[in-house]
DNA sequence: AGTAGCATGTAATGGGTTACATGATTAC
DNA sequence: GTAATCATGTAACCCATTACATGCTACT
């Protein structure tokens, strides 16, 4: 039972779904490919945490619908009683920032401008996602309260990071040019 | 050549160091254990990206000092020209938040209070780390400029996340109690 | 005598990505 | 036709953690 399995249990506790659907729904919160999810679901079925059932479809390929069992729900409750382990972030830009000093201004600007677009897209996505949520989701007790606060967290972090990139880009733009330019700088 | 190898090259471009030292210095930016770093350094030495030299010590055990080669520096420059891949965060609390609705208020409070302490410690660490940096590091061109902006980024994110936890904790405290309590709530 | 920090390594295992593989339906 | 989306699976490989293993010095 790794963290991803609990994430799948958490999704299935809300509603029975196919592996494909779970794969799509877990993406914003925990990246995982279908090749990791399908075998995990099989193992969880063996362990009696889930039950599976084939559902025929006429418009689309048939699918296997998983549902959480009472044992699965019990495990989920036990997991919720344990403290959450510390978050881990892997960001290549962080390592690149570490050797900015061996690069020129334009290379640095390209890196941060690209990341800036990424954060801007995140802000836009989470803003509209929060906007579309009903007011009930703002209350503890609502099934979507967790989703609501997670989107608020993601939005806050994206905004903070966005401000950081614009701050860095401004510093880079106002930095002295490398050499041979006798042109005056306007800042 | 994976991302971690470039991180090690980046550190070695600043100053020659032992594997043990690299392991400690890379922690704040990319988590990796010594068992991953030592074999990587050996392979990078084989690929002529690094050179190694044993240095004798009297007070502490002898150590193997690695230095970057011109080929290593070339690879580092090539890597800097490529856009940084998107950041990935894995946070168990995110998945737990997703099934807050199956839990009680106290379990939820315990989770967020613990995380709140974590962010508070991060804020404290990065504040003092930034405070100790010399003014030169605030300028592009300084060798420590990258470190400076990374710490600012980490501080901003930690503050944003800290505000988020206090916001969530307040909502939880003001939420209606589960049942059977006829005691008046004071908020 | 025991613990903590410095220092280096390997082995086993688990987590995660990429690639391989198949096949249905719908829309252009 | 062919691309896109839905749908499920396996195999190979790489990345990362835990555990195993050793040994020095300094401090209590």
């Amino acid at each position: 039972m790794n963290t991803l399995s609990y994430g799948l249990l958490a999704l299935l506790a809300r509603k029975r779904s196919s592996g494909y659907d779970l794969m799509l729904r877990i993406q914003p919160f925990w990246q995982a490919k279908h090749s990791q999810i399908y075998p995990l679901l099989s193992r969880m079925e063996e362990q009696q945490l889930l039950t599976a059932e084939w559902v025929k479809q006429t418009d689309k390929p048939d699918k296997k619908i998983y549902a959480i069992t009472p044992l699965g729900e019990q495990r989920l409750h036990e997991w919720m009683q344990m403290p959450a382990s510390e978050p881990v972030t892997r960001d290549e830009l962080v390592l690149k920032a570490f050797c900015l000093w061996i690069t020129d201004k334009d290379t640095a600007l390209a890196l941060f401008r690209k990341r800036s677009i990424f954060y801007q897209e995140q802000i836009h996505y989470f803003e509209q996602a929060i906007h579309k949520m009903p007011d009930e989701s703002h209350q503890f007790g609502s099934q979507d309260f967790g989703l609501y606060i997670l989107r608020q967290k993601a939005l806050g972090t994206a905004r903070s990071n966005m401000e950081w990139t614009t701050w860095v880009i401004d510093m880079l733009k106002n930095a002295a040019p490398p050499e041979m330019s006798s042109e005056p700088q306007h800042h």
Side-chain angles (χ1 to χ4, degrees), chain A:
Chain A
M1 287 292 287
N2 57 21
T3 310
L4 177 57
S5 354
Y6 286 108
L8 296 172
L9 278 185
L11 288 173
L12 286 167
R14 299 166 148 246
K15 71 158 185 274
R16 50 219 311 286
S17 334
S18 66
Y20 187 81
D21 189 35
L22 289 168
M23 183 263 292
L24 293 177
R25 285 200 293 150
I26 209 164
Q27 289 312 314
F29 310 106
W30 196 277
Q31 281 71 52
K33 313 284 157 132
H34 72 274
S35 54
Q36 194 182 5
I37 290 173
Y38 288 130
L40 245 191
L41 288 170
S42 293
R43 263 187 285 155
M44 288 163 78
E45 193 193 348
E46 281 173 31
Q47 293 167 205
Q48 323 270 293
L49 304 169
L50 306 178
T51 56
E53 182 194 359
W54 278 98
V55 172
K56 279 184 185 146
Q57 294 188 123
T58 50
D59 52 334
K60 287 179 270 185
D62 296 353
K63 59 184 176 181
K64 204 192 229 173
I65 295 290
Y66 286 97
I68 193 167
T69 63
L71 180 61
E73 280 173 350
Q74 191 191 312
R75 293 289 164 79
L76 205 53
H77 275 99
E78 287 162 12
W79 174 67
M80 285 296 285
Q81 301 308 311
M82 303 195 304
S85 52
E86 293 181 356
V88 176
T89 301
R90 293 193 184 270
D91 186 354
E92 211 182 0
L93 186 63
V94 164
L95 297 181
K96 293 203 177 190
F98 221 86
C99 44
L100 275 187
W101 64 285
I102 62 158
T103 331
D104 58 293
K105 215 168 102 167
D106 289 340
T107 303
L109 274 170
L111 284 171
F112 288 98
R113 283 191 174 127
K114 186 158 188 238
R115 179 54 64 92
S116 172
I117 293 164
F118 171 77
Y119 290 136
Q120 191 54 60
E121 283 168 357
Q122 276 204 330
I123 290 170
H124 181 256
Y125 171 77
F126 286 112
E127 272 177 349
Q128 61 83 27
I130 291 166
H131 186 72
K132 284 197 294 193
M133 296 187 81
D135 286 354
E136 305 98 85
S137 64
H138 302 6
Q139 291 293 319
F140 176 67
S142 155
Q143 199 179 300
D144 279 335
F145 179 70
L147 187 57
Y148 171 66
I149 64 170
L150 285 178
R151 285 174 171 169
Q152 291 288 359
K153 177 179 195 280
L155 179 58
T157 305
R159 280 181 177 152
S160 167
N161 287 331
M162 181 72 204
E163 277 169 42
W164 176 73
T165 53
T166 53
W167 173 72
V168 172
I169 289 168
D170 281 351
M171 286 184 85
L172 290 173
K173 281 197 289 198
N174 296 333
E179 57 218 82
M180 81 173 165
S181 164
S182 57
E183 297 291 303
Q185 290 304 107
H186 47 88
H187 43 259

